[in-house]
């Protein structure tokens, strides 16, 4: 089990943070371009899911899996989006993303007066705490 | 356990076959007094609930009927605009029927061709080497399973999240496609499939699968 990478987008689609742990393949474009492509895909998937669903959706899109990885998606009501790529056997990634939101993002970014929303996260404390949490999680170790 | 629908996409992303197996009707009828406590807007020539969910009427639902008569787009049977009708206090109390809009054929074609780039981007953004595109897409209300053949045809099945053995079912549908669509001399590739035998066999397969929920080869 392993965690590949993490994207955080705000509600306007700006890439707030990108973290990488075990990534074996680079996409061959800059991270800005990659983030735009990723956000565009997520936006389309959300639309697609809303239309395709036979009944009314509550949370909507949760994750997709390919032959090699799983993309887990978590969105807060305020529109902050967390995207984490893991391998096929990881479980409980959603809970981890919720933890990242409540224990790391809220604590070290939202409660930091120097942090301006709509910009890339620069706080060192956020980065170290996030790295700690991810590396401690059983999904990363396993 | 339920299988909602099946889509077959050609190599170039066009929809060549679509079949709705189980469809769920979401409709609510309710009598309202003046003023309306839900907010409606006009969207794509439909009246849509914009705000104020209650009693099973959710945001995104369309207005289907007023006082028991079906709507004609955004106007009533006599040609009067619905929004103007609902703004007039003398028309109340009024009985309104709301429901989740059913996909039109055009929308289905649109959605099918939307899946094609999603599949491709998923493989392009992969952090691992040699990844395929989306195989399973999960939402809270359904799960979409996709099987791509070596020749690039995609079979999509939309099913309940708990439905088992969909991968196996997809391969069986592929078999049916190979047997009844491809061996049909009147069928040309990349064109919509219109073949009675294919359709009847498919229905049989889906019904069997739903009842047993397990392998029936």
């Amino acid at each position: 089990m392993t965690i590949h990478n993490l994207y955080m987008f705000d509600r306007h689609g700006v890439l707030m943070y990108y973290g990488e742990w075990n990534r074996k393949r680079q996409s061959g474009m800059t991270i800005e371009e990659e983030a735009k492509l990723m956000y565009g895909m997520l936006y389309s998937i959300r639309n697609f899911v809303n239309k395709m669903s036979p009944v009314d959706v509550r949370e909507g899109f949760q994750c997709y899996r390919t032959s090699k990885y799983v993309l887990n998606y978590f969105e807060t009501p305020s529109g902050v989006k967390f995207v984490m790529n893991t391998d096929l056997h990881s479980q409980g990634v959603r809970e981890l993303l919720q933890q990242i939101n409540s224990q790391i993002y809220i604590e070290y970014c939202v409660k930091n007066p120097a942090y301006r929303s709509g910009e890339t996260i620069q706080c060192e404390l956020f980065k170290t705490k996030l790295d700690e949490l991810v590396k401690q999680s059983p999904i990363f170790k396993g | 356990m339920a299988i909602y629908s099946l889509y077959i996409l050609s190599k170039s992303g066009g929809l060549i076959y679509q079949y709705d197996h189980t469809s769920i009707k979401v409709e609510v009828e309710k009598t309202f007094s003046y003023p309306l406590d839900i907010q409606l807007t006009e969207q794509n020539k439909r009246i849509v609930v914009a705000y104020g969910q209650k009693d099973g009427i959710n945001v995104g639902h369309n207005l289907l009927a007023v006082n028991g008569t079906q709507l004609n787009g955004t106007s009533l049977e006599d040609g009067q605009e619905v929004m103007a009708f609902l703004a007039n206090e003398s028309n109340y109390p009024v009985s309104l029927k709301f429901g989740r809009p059913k996909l039109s054929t055009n929308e289905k074609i649109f959605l099918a061709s939307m899946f094609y780039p999603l599949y491709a981007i998923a493989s392009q953004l992969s952090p691992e080497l040699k990844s395929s595109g989306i195989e399973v897409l999960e939402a809270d209300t359904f799960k979409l399973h996709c099987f791509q053949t070596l020749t690039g045809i995609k079979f999509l099945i939309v099913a309940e999240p708990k439905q088992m053995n969909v991968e196996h079912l997809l391969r069986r549908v592929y078999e049916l496609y190979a047997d009844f669509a491809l061996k049909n001399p009147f069928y040309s590739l990349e064109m919509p499939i219109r073949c009675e035998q294919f359709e009847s066999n498919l229905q049989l397969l889906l019904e069997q699968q739903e009842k047993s929920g397990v392998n029936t080869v």
Side-chain angles (χ1 to χ4, degrees):
Chain A
M1 299 217 283
T2 167
I3 293 172
H4 297 306
N5 51 9
L6 171 80
Y7 301 81
M8 271 174 70
F9 296 98
D10 75 356
R11 65 194 167 113
H12 304 293
V14 178
L15 182 71
M16 293 200 294
Y17 182 75
Y18 173 73
E20 193 173 291
W21 290 278
N22 287 315
R23 185 170 180 171
K24 298 194 185 72
R25 175 185 170 275
Q26 298 298 327
S27 59
M29 45 186 140
T30 63
I31 184 63
E32 287 83 18
E33 283 174 351
E34 191 184 300
K36 277 180 200 161
L37 186 63
M38 175 64 87
Y39 188 78
M41 178 182 69
L42 293 172
Y43 187 87
S44 307
I45 288 183
R46 281 197 317 151
N47 253 321
F48 180 82
V49 163
N50 278 337
K51 290 225 178 82
M52 201 63 142
S53 174
V55 289
D56 293 311
V57 293
R58 289 177 304 277
E59 286 182 71
F61 176 50
Q62 310 254 299
C63 68
Y64 75 65
R65 56 184 69 226
T66 73
S67 61
K68 289 286 167 66
Y69 75 102
V70 183
L71 179 141
N72 299 275
Y73 178 79
F74 170 66
E75 184 178 347
T76 68
S78 56
V80 180
K81 296 164 187 71
F82 295 84
V83 178
M84 185 177 265
N85 290 324
T86 62
D87 72 346
L88 295 174
H89 313 291
S90 307
Q91 281 180 347
V93 184
R94 234 183 141 63
E95 287 71 33
L96 178 66
L97 291 179
Q98 276 164 0
Q99 267 182 9
I100 292 177
N101 177 43
S102 62
Q103 294 172 14
I104 312 284
Y105 173 64
I106 304 277
E107 289 299 322
Y108 302 110
C109 283
V110 179
K111 292 187 183 172
N112 176 357
Y115 164 69
R116 299 241 301 268
S117 67
E119 283 177 15
T120 316
I121 297 173
Q122 307 283 358
C123 328
E124 282 306 319
L125 195 56
F126 167 84
K127 289 176 190 170
T128 45
K129 290 284 177 185
L130 176 69
D131 203 51
E132 264 173 39
L133 183 73
V134 167
K135 283 186 174 158
Q136 270 171 13
S137 93
I139 307 166
F140 188 82
K141 285 181 214 151
Chain B
M1 304 267 253
I3 292 161
Y4 297 125
S5 52
L6 170 100
Y7 294 75
I8 302 180
L9 273 62
S10 74
K11 199 163 74 177
S12 47
L15 184 65
I16 55 173
Y17 186 78
Q18 201 277 335
Y19 171 66
D20 280 327
H21 189 59
T22 322
S23 54
I24 299 170
K25 244 191 186 164
V26 186
E27 283 184 359
V28 186
E29 188 150 16
K30 199 172 178 295
T31 309
F32 290 88
S33 52
Y34 190 83
L36 272 183
D37 46 3
I38 49 176
Q39 212 159 48
L40 304 173
T41 52
E42 214 175 301
Q43 237 176 50
N44 294 329
K45 298 193 176 161
R46 285 169 170 173
I47 308 289
V48 182
V49 179
Y51 181 76
Q53 299 194 152
K54 63 172 213 170
D55 304 332
I57 302 168
N58 289 349
V59 169
H61 278 188
N62 286 5
L63 183 58
L64 302 174
V66 175
N67 289 331
T69 47
Q70 218 66 20
L71 281 190
N72 179 15
T74 60
S75 52
L76 296 166
E77 231 176 352
D78 58 2
Q80 200 185 351
E81 283 294 312
V82 175
M83 292 308 246
F85 177 85
L86 291 177
N88 187 349
E89 192 176 348
S90 63
N91 291 322
Y92 286 79
V94 66
S95 145
L96 303 176
K97 185 154 99 180
F98 292 94
R100 201 180 154 74
K102 285 195 80 178
L103 291 175
S104 67
T105 314
N106 260 336
E107 281 174 315
K108 282 172 186 163
I109 295 172
F110 172 78
L111 282 179
S113 45
M114 204 164 140
F115 186 76
Y116 184 82
L118 294 179
Y119 187 93
I121 297 174
S123 126
Q124 204 190 346
L125 285 174
S126 163
E128 284 268 14
L129 292 162
K130 288 183 187 156
S131 171
S132 72
I134 299 175
E135 286 184 342
V136 182
L137 189 143
E138 284 179 42
D140 53 354
T141 49
F142 71 95
K143 225 170 168 176
L144 182 140
H145 302 256
C146 171
F147 168 59
Q148 178 169 255
T149 70
L150 287 174
T151 49
I153 313 240
K154 288 186 191 72
F155 293 85
L156 308 183
I157 283 182
V158 180
E160 229 179 32
K162 284 180 196 137
Q163 177 77 33
M164 312 255 283
N165 266 317
V166 185
E167 277 69 31
H168 170 79
L169 181 64
L170 280 166
R171 275 162 185 78
R172 293 277 294 146
V173 176
Y174 181 31
E175 263 176 56
L176 288 181
Y177 168 77
D179 280 348
F180 296 107
L182 289 184
K183 286 180 189 170
N184 180 351
F186 300 106
Y187 175 68
S188 50
L189 280 174
E190 303 268 310
M191 291 304 278
I193 302 169
R194 289 182 210 289
C195 175
E196 273 178 32
Q197 274 214 308
F198 174 69
E199 229 156 287
S200 53
N201 276 286
L202 186 71
Q203 274 174 25
L204 204 70
L205 175 69
L206 291 181
E207 268 157 32
Q208 267 178 6
Q209 185 77 19
E210 235 179 12
K211 269 184 204 139
S212 58
V214 286
N215 273 359
T216 43
V217 185

